[in-house]
């Protein structure tokens, strides 16, 4: 299996996702500042993956704190947390993982050395749990998919695969489970402008696993649905509000609208850590705006004339009513019934 984040020789080894698919390169991260940089520049990306990365970032920051005074240690650790929180605003897994690490530090009694050790173990636990969570999401998703036709064509957007998690993936976890059980014909991958995570990363992951994949540009989805080429849409999520409104990669909302227009089921696959029960609806989700060069430049080529303005929101919010079900590690839930996800295992 593909593991994009590995703890090895006292550092974090990340697959550099900015170089795929042309080059498979790994990068060693030793300091929390470098982890913050890796998250903001999207060397590591995808909601669960940046949560895991931030957890390790917390440990990397903690191990550099030199004081033996507990209050001072916690104060400096809060500064590390602030640095990591400032990297990307939308994916709540980042804040969830940092919060869990801070809570661990506050709750651990003992020497500073012992707290540091527990922080490393907690980051490793978050890493390992995410892989198991994704496998459960994949299997629950398989059960939630339409029963007919027997073999499905699934359309996905962006990359919610192993690369975007600690391994296996969320939306691509469902795809992986469906492929394993002989329920998948192929994946259609939206290229996902502006950063092309679908064309570059989802396509690469599918090729690695021998899963047949067809890349389309984002504006081809409605046409493909009208032609009867798509049986279900499965996407990931960066933050889900309590009412089921879901923030995911820009373009997800329009995909949900065209899926509804063609009566095609639209699934969101995400761990419970992506649900933000503090927000009642999606209008409260902070949407990251990224640099315009992601729109006007590909490699060294400038695409647009000078003198134009740009707007580059990285995410949009799909209203709950467009979502057939939200697939979590505890089962698939109607968006209006998310509150049951902690208690029910289906
Ligand atoms: C399992 S990843 C789910 C989402 O994080 C994914 O669909 C997505 O939108 C990723 O955005 P990115 O900007 O590439 O980090």
């Amino acid at each position: 299996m593909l593991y994009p984040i590995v703890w090895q020789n006292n550092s974090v080894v990340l697959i550099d996702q900015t170089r795929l698919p042309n080059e498979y390169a790994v990068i060693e991260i030793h300091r929390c500042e470098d982890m913050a940089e890796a998250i903001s520049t999207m060397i590591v990306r995808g909601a669960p993956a940046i949560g895991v990365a931030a957890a390790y970032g917390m440990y990397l920051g903690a191990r550099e704190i030199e004081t033996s005074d507990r209050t001072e240690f916690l104060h400096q650790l809060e500064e590390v947390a602030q640095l990591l929180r400032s990297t990307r605003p939308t994916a709540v897994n980042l804040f969830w993982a940092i919060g869990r690490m801070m809570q661990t530090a506050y709750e651990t009694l003992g020497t500073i050395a012992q707290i540091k050790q527990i922080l490393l173990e907690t980051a490793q636990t978050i890493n390992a749990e995410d892989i198991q969570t994704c496998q459960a999401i994949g299997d629950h998703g398989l059960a939630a998919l339409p029963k007919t036709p027997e073999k499905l064509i699934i359309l996905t957007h962006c990359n919610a695969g192993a690369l975007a998690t600690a391994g296996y993936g969320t939306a691509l976890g469902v795809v992986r489970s469906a492929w394993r059980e002989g329920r998948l014909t192929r994946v259609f991958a939206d290229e996902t402008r502006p950063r092309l995570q679908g064309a570059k990363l989802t396509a690469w992951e599918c090729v690695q696993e021998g899963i047949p994949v067809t890349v389309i540009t984002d504006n081809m989805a409605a046409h493909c649905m009208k032609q009867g080429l798509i049986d279900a849409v499965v996407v990931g999520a960066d933050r889900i509000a309590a009412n089921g409104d879901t923030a995911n990669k820009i373009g997800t909302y329009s995909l949900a609208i065209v899926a509804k227009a063609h009566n095609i089921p639209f699934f969101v696959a995400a761990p419970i850590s992506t649900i933000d029960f503090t927000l009642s609806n999606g209008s409260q989700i902070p949407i990251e705006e990224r640099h315009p060069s992601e729109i006007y430049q590909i490699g060294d080529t400038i695409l647009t004339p000078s003198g134009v303005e740009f707007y580059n929101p990285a995410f949009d919010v799909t209203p709950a009513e467009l979502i057939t079900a939200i697939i979590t590690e505890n089962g698939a839930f109607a968006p209006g019934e998310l509150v049951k996800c902690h208690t029910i295992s289906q």
Side-chain angles (χ1 to χ4, degrees):
M1 215 206 303
L2 182 66
Y3 299 111
I5 307 168
V6 177
W7 178 255
Q8 208 171 66
N9 299 330
N10 285 320
S11 68
V12 187
V13 180
L14 300 175
I15 296 177
D16 185 345
Q17 301 192 35
T18 63
R19 297 183 179 216
L20 288 170
N22 295 325
E23 191 187 345
Y24 180 94
V26 294
I27 175 165
E28 275 182 28
I29 305 282
H30 298 268
R31 304 189 63 239
C32 69
E33 289 80 3
D34 297 330
M35 186 60 90
E37 175 85 1
I39 294 170
S40 12
T41 58
M42 295 173 66
I43 284 170
V44 58
R45 47 141 303 278
I50 63 177
V52 174
Y56 281 121
M58 287 290 291
Y59 168 68
L60 296 178
R63 78 175 176 187
E64 287 193 3
I65 298 174
E66 285 183 348
T67 182
S68 57
D69 178 73
R70 179 184 169 84
T71 308
E72 177 59 19
F73 174 80
L74 290 172
H75 173 71
Q76 291 190 32
L77 191 62
E78 187 52 56
E79 288 174 358
V80 173
Q82 262 319 105
L83 171 73
L84 290 161
R85 282 189 198 108
S86 69
T87 52
R88 297 194 74 189
T90 303
V92 76
N93 309 62
L94 180 85
F95 304 91
W96 170 86
I98 294 168
R100 184 163 160 187
M101 293 292 282
M102 276 313 297
Q103 191 181 349
T104 301
Y106 277 109
E107 286 175 358
T108 304
L109 303 172
T111 64
I112 300 297
Q114 285 166 334
I115 300 176
K116 289 178 181 177
Q117 180 57 30
I118 299 281
L119 285 174
L120 173 58
E121 288 167 16
T122 304
Q124 289 172 312
T125 301
I126 290 173
N127 191 349
E129 280 175 1
D130 190 61
I131 299 169
Q132 287 175 354
T133 295
C134 287
Q135 286 169 336
I137 289 170
D139 292 351
H140 285 300
L142 171 64
L145 287 171
K147 300 293 172 261
T148 55
E150 193 190 330
K151 280 177 168 272
L152 304 168
I153 298 180
I154 293 177
L155 172 63
T156 191
H157 189 69
C158 192
N159 171 264
L163 289 167
T165 61
Y168 204 73
T170 56
L172 277 194
V174 178
V175 162
R176 279 191 166 85
S177 294
W179 178 247
R180 186 194 66 213
E181 297 303 318
R183 290 229 49 218
L184 186 79
T185 307
R186 69 172 44 242
V187 174
F188 270 55
D190 274 353
E191 70 170 348
T192 317
R193 277 285 285 154
R195 288 188 68 105
L196 304 173
Q197 290 95 327
K200 291 180 172 179
L201 306 178
T202 296
W204 182 79
E205 273 197 53
C206 288
V207 168
Q208 299 305 303
E209 301 243 342
I211 299 174
V213 57
T214 300
V215 174
I216 57 172
T217 64
D218 300 339
N219 48 4
M220 294 174 186
H223 176 72
C224 293
M225 289 179 188
K226 193 164 195 179
Q227 286 189 313
L229 293 175
I230 309 297
D231 299 304
V233 179
V234 187
V235 298
D238 287 83
R239 195 185 294 226
I240 303 171
N243 71 342
D245 291 351
T246 295
N248 190 49
K249 181 51 55 191
I250 192 77
T252 303
Y253 176 29
S254 45
L255 197 57
I257 291 170
V258 293
K260 185 84 164 180
H262 294 88
N263 215 12
I264 292 169
F266 185 94
F267 297 96
V268 170
I272 292 169
S273 55
T274 303
I275 306 171
D276 185 346
F277 284 104
T278 70
L279 305 184
S280 58
N281 67 71
S283 70
Q284 297 156 344
I285 299 175
I287 300 294
E288 177 181 12
E289 200 177 328
R290 293 189 62 87
H291 196 274
S293 60
E294 292 184 348
I295 298 180
Y296 67 67
Q297 190 168 0
I298 294 187
D300 293 333
T301 307
I302 303 292
L303 304 170
T304 54
S306 56
V308 298
E309 293 184 4
F310 299 92
Y311 175 47
N312 186 22
F315 301 96
D316 58 25
V317 177
T318 299
E321 59 266 26
L322 298 178
I323 298 168
T324 308
I326 295 177
I327 301 158
T328 73
E329 63 270 37
N330 282 351
F333 298 90
E337 300 197 326
L338 273 184
V339 69
K340 295 183 185 167
C341 73
H342 286 298
T343 48
I344 295 182
S345 188
Q346 295 174 347

